[in-house]
Amino acid sequence: MVSRDSGSTMQHTIDRDTLRLSGMLDVRCTAELRAALYGLMETTTGDVRVDLADVESMDMTTLKMFAVANRFAERHGRRVVLQHCSPAVRRLLHISHLRWMIPVEPATGPPNQPGS
C-alpha cells in the first residue's frame, strides 16, 4: 500500500488495483491524480477501481480526466471503474453526460461514513 499527500486538497492511497481518493478533487490536483491513475494502470492488469467514498467534492476537470483514462483503458481491454460515488458525483455524471463514458459500480447499502 502506498500513500501520498502532496499538500494539495487531495490525498490518495493505492492498494492493489484500487486508487482510494479523499479530499477535494479539482483542477489543482488533476496532474497528480492523472499520474497516480496511469501509474496504477501500468503496474496492474484488469480493471482499475477508483474509490471515491472519502471524496468531499469533484469538478468537471476531474470527471473528464476519468473519462479519458477509461477510454485509454478500454483500448487495452480494461476499464477504470468508479466506486462509492456520492449522490452529488452521480448527479454531476448525469448532468455532464459523462455517465455513459465512465463505468460506475451500483450504489449498495448505506455510505461508509456518516455525513457522506
Side-chain angles (χ1 to χ4, degrees):
M1 186 181 328
V2 176
S3 181
R4 303 235 193 283
D5 181 358
S6 67
S8 69
T9 58
M10 176 203 72
Q11 296 80 43
H12 71 273
T13 303
I14 296 173
D15 185 13
R16 292 190 219 136
D17 67 348
T18 302
L19 177 62
R20 297 187 202 297
L21 301 173
S22 62
M24 297 183 297
L25 308 182
D26 57 29
V27 70
R28 294 172 291 179
C29 67
T30 303
E32 178 185 352
L33 179 54
R34 183 183 306 112
L37 183 56
Y38 281 81
L40 183 58
M41 285 193 279
E42 287 178 8
T43 61
T44 60
T45 60
D47 292 348
V48 171
R49 310 225 175 274
V50 180
D51 186 339
L52 302 174
D54 296 322
V55 169
E56 297 169 29
S57 64
M58 182 183 305
D59 69 1
M60 282 299 299
T61 304
T62 304
L63 283 181
K64 288 178 184 178
M65 191 273 311
F66 285 137
V68 170
N70 184 60
R71 183 167 225 167
F72 174 82
E74 286 178 338
R75 289 183 184 142
H76 297 87
R78 304 169 69 189
R79 301 179 307 155
V80 173
V81 182
L82 303 184
Q83 297 178 312
H84 308 115
C85 294
S86 69
V89 169
R90 288 178 185 277
R91 278 191 302 276
L92 190 56
L93 281 164
H94 179 75
I95 290 167
S96 68
H97 301 285
L98 291 174
R99 172 59 189 98
W100 312 114
M101 297 178 72
I102 309 171
V104 177
E105 284 192 355
T108 57
N112 289 347
Q113 297 178 350
S116 294

